[in-house]
Amino acid sequence: MQKADVLARRVGERAFASVTWTVDAEVDPAATVMAAARPGEPFFCMEQPGRAGYAVCAMGEAVAVTRSGPDRFTAVAADCRRLAERILGDDPAGDPGRPAGAGPVFTGGFAFAPYGGATPEWSGFEPAQLALPEVSIARQGGEARLTLTVAVEAGGAEAALRRAGERAESLHPAAMPLLDPDPVARPRVSGAAAPSHYEDAVRRAVASIAAGEMDKVVLAREVRVQTGREIDPAPVLDALRAGFPDCYCYCVGGRGATLIGASPELLVRRDGARAQTVALAGTTRRSADPAVDDHLGEQLMGSDKNRSEQAIVARRIERTLAPVSVWVTAAERPVLIKVLNVQHLATPIRAQLARPVPAVELAGRLHPTPAVGAEPREAQSMIPALEGLDRGWYAGAVGWTDLSEDGEFCVALRCALLRGDVAHLYAGCGIVADSVPAEELAETEVKLQALLPLLA
């Protein structure tokens, strides 16, 4: 704390003192931070339980970085780099077993569009928003670390130490609350627009593709659930991670609303000079009958429409990574990714970076892939007029980055924005030349089933 005080005096700005220690890996990181977060306080959870219990969860805000506009990813990366120069913490080299995301990290996300999230329901979600949390817990592979970070004003070491002590005392192992199986109020489900609006949008998109204006576009729709009671995100997140252990189960909130979801799609993961991502496009439903389920997967793998849609995404990602990489390699053919309610075509892609491009900048280079945007990229400008909605953070990026500029971001899919007693659910489909409006509408209904049963 004293060293941070000295640094704050020298540079004339706040410094940050951080300490990391080992905790029991049996502790539930998400339940712990959500139980300890104060009313209205920001919190962040990102888990992939099937990946050796991977979790990075946080609460509080020692400092926040917000940006908007086309360069928001690059600007946020630069802001975080400058702040990192004023963060004094433990040397990671002294703890080689620590999981990814341990130590001081910036957590948050990015809207789909450069100025996205301007409508009232998205209040509190900036186009780009990362925070250095006061508390973060990282866990994976039987290892867990808790990090405490506080801002230190010049001459304010004692006050900062007192705040750190109060924060540490507020932390206790917790369990997630359960969903109410029989709520008194009966939820009401309605579309933000009529289903025919979505089918008309698909028809117009197909006409634009036939006219050569674009090759592919992703169109989303919104469904609203009014529950008649304040929605607690904690049991919803708990249900998502139980049902979708191989997805990124995420929850970002605290400013009057919460974004929650279970995404199958990695946008980017950077670990030193190594980068990983996945081209995910092409979807079909699941079946409780194993034989039928396998048949549906075989149909998806053999579908010219879906394979073409998938190839568009993979090619764009490879082209985007090539200028900053020594090499980029993609799987020769897509694989099937099966989650609770749907199965997808996915092509894993890896790259060896030629220079240390920050994880946030890599996310900005890749976002939006044609899996959520359009091909060519310029055709993305047609999406708002076709959809008629503000995506906000839907199909944006959610994740974290550390002081080494490593990090991990997923695409914010299969999500709901919870505000009071209303949930805004979003789902989209990739539209190509031979898309059929009724079939695309039906696909959105299948995707909505990730969250709809938990809220309605």
Side-chain angles (χ1 to χ4, degrees):
M1 208 69 71
Q2 291 296 334
K3 289 182 179 179
D5 190 353
V6 170
L7 178 59
R9 292 173 188 269
R10 179 166 60 82
V11 300
E13 294 183 278
R14 286 185 302 169
F16 304 89
S18 180
V19 61
T20 299
W21 63 92
T22 300
V23 293
D24 187 349
E26 295 301 315
V27 168
D28 186 330
T32 299
V33 302
M34 294 178 81
R38 298 159 184 158
E41 185 172 51
F43 61 88
F44 170 93
C45 300
M46 185 164 117
E47 301 189 45
Q48 197 173 18
R51 199 169 117 211
Y54 169 82
V56 176
C57 302
M59 68 174 183
E61 187 176 88
V63 65
V65 173
T66 60
R67 290 282 187 161
S68 65
D71 298 325
R72 64 198 187 283
F73 286 89
T74 303
V76 163
D79 289 342
C80 291
R81 189 179 308 118
R82 285 190 291 268
L83 284 168
E85 296 174 355
R86 291 185 272 129
I87 301 173
L88 300 178
D90 308 303
D91 182 1
D95 182 16
R98 67 166 55 188
V105 291
F106 295 92
T107 61
F110 298 80
F112 173 77
Y115 301 97
T119 48
E121 63 266 24
W122 286 102
S123 175
F125 288 84
E126 299 292 332
Q129 180 177 298
L130 292 184
L132 176 66
E134 292 184 327
V135 175
S136 63
I137 304 175
R139 181 191 66 191
Q140 190 173 19
E143 295 284 348
R145 302 291 186 273
L146 187 150
T147 299
L148 188 64
T149 303
V150 292
V152 183
E153 305 280 356
E158 288 188 12
L161 186 61
R162 185 169 57 253
R163 292 199 311 274
E166 292 171 354
R167 181 58 97 182
E169 289 176 2
S170 72
L171 296 171
H172 302 283
M176 286 290 202
L178 299 176
L179 281 171
D180 185 351
D182 188 25
V184 175
R186 292 302 170 193
R188 290 188 289 114
V189 181
S190 61
S196 59
H197 171 83
Y198 187 77
E199 292 180 308
D200 287 341
V202 173
R203 290 189 190 94
R204 286 184 285 150
V206 169
S208 295
I209 293 169
E213 297 173 10
M214 56 185 170
D215 298 322
K216 176 194 174 180
V217 65
V218 174
L219 297 181
R221 59 187 287 246
E222 175 190 350
V223 169
R224 296 173 185 168
V225 179
Q226 188 159 3
T227 64
R229 67 192 188 284
E230 185 85 13
I231 303 171
D232 182 357
V236 179
L237 177 62
D238 192 41
L240 286 175
R241 62 188 187 177
F244 297 87
D246 295 320
C247 288
Y248 288 95
C249 300
Y250 59 91
C251 188
V252 186
R255 294 178 175 86
T258 300
L259 180 69
I260 190 166
S263 174
E265 187 169 352
L266 169 68
L267 179 60
V268 70
R269 179 187 305 130
R270 195 199 94 160
D271 180 9
R274 299 186 299 273
Q276 292 177 262
T277 182
V278 63
L280 192 99
T283 305
T284 191
R285 64 182 178 87
R286 298 292 308 274
S287 172
D289 184 324
V292 174
D293 194 59
D294 289 344
H295 179 63
L296 290 168
E298 290 168 2
Q299 285 184 317
L300 182 61
M301 286 289 286
S303 165
D304 290 339
K305 168 190 176 291
N306 285 289
R307 289 291 289 266
S308 173
E309 181 185 346
Q310 221 280 328
I312 288 171
V313 179
R315 286 195 298 267
R316 162 87 78 79
I317 291 175
E318 291 182 84
R319 290 198 309 269
T320 301
L321 289 176
V324 295
S325 302
V326 177
W327 51 259
V328 181
T329 182
E332 291 185 2
R333 63 196 302 267
V335 296
L336 277 176
I337 299 291
K338 297 192 177 191
V339 298
L340 182 65
N341 60 328
V342 292
Q343 41 192 323
H344 301 285
L345 292 179
T347 300
I349 298 172
R350 297 182 297 116
Q352 179 78 16
L353 299 175
R355 58 184 177 85
V357 183
V360 172
E361 285 191 24
L362 286 172
R365 283 176 171 270
L366 292 167
H367 174 78
T369 72
V372 294
E375 180 66 23
R377 185 184 288 267
E378 295 73 28
Q380 185 179 310
S381 61
M382 302 174 66
I383 291 176
L386 288 167
E387 290 180 341
L389 60 86
D390 179 0
R391 287 189 177 189
W393 280 28
Y394 165 72
V398 169
W400 60 270
T401 182
D402 63 16
L403 304 191
S404 298
E405 300 186 307
D406 287 339
E408 188 160 7
F409 289 85
C410 71
V411 183
L413 300 176
R414 313 294 143 78
C415 63
L417 176 68
L418 312 179
R419 184 178 291 277
D421 68 344
V422 178
H424 304 258
L425 282 67
Y426 302 88
C429 298
I431 310 304
V432 290
D434 51 354
S435 290
V436 177
E439 293 178 359
E440 302 299 341
L441 178 65
E443 184 176 319
T444 67
E445 295 288 348
V446 173
K447 291 177 176 177
L448 287 167
Q449 290 304 307
L451 270 159
L452 198 56
L454 305 179
L455 298 165

